[in-house]
Amino acid sequence: MDDMEIYRQLGQNVARARGKLGKTQAEIAAQIGLTRASLANIETGRQKVLMHHVFRLANALECRSVLDLIPETFVFADDEPPITTHGSQLSDQQHAAVQRFVQIAGKR
């Protein structure tokens, strides 16, 4: 999984807990010192969350522990293996074209 998946899962758990309490994003956000827009971004996994906000969220959402909000387990995605064309049946010109493409794509 990519790193942002942690935040997506956290956000889903926050939204679920908030829904169970019947509170609005604005109510919870005000309680923990964030804007409603920030809480909306957290709930959708678009915003990284500071640790002290996780604790404030757990308190505001009446969780037994911050562990109720974070993923139970998580496996980080490994870095992609390098692309290699050595040993393939590409011509020198094709090999050079692939290398240029990889360099250009890597800059984006």
Side-chain angles (χ1 to χ4, degrees), residues 7-8 11-12 15 25 39-47:
Y7 299 102
R8 284 188 284 277
Q12 289 172 354
Q25 288 177 337
L39 184 58
N41 286 332
I42 289 169
E43 288 187 359
T44 57
R46 291 189 307 252
Q47 181 171 322

Side-chain angles (χ1 to χ4, degrees), residues 49-98:
V49 185
L50 298 172
M51 185 57 78
H52 69 281
H53 285 137
V54 175
F55 279 88
R56 287 181 182 173
L57 280 165
N59 288 333
L61 297 170
E62 301 174 14
C63 297
R64 293 169 299 170
S65 166
V66 294
L67 298 176
D68 294 340
L69 297 179
I70 62 173
E72 195 170 307
T73 60
F74 191 81
V75 176
F76 289 95
D78 291 331
D79 290 314
E80 292 293 319
I83 297 173
T84 180
T85 57
H86 298 291
S88 67
Q89 300 206 0
L90 295 176
S91 69
D92 288 343
Q93 184 179 5
Q94 291 168 323
H95 175 74
V98 169

Side-chain angles (χ1 to χ4, degrees), residues 8-21:
R8 284 188 284 277
Q9 289 180 22
L10 171 75
Q12 289 172 354
N13 292 339
V14 167
R16 190 175 306 113
R18 183 180 58 74
K20 285 181 183 178
L21 289 177

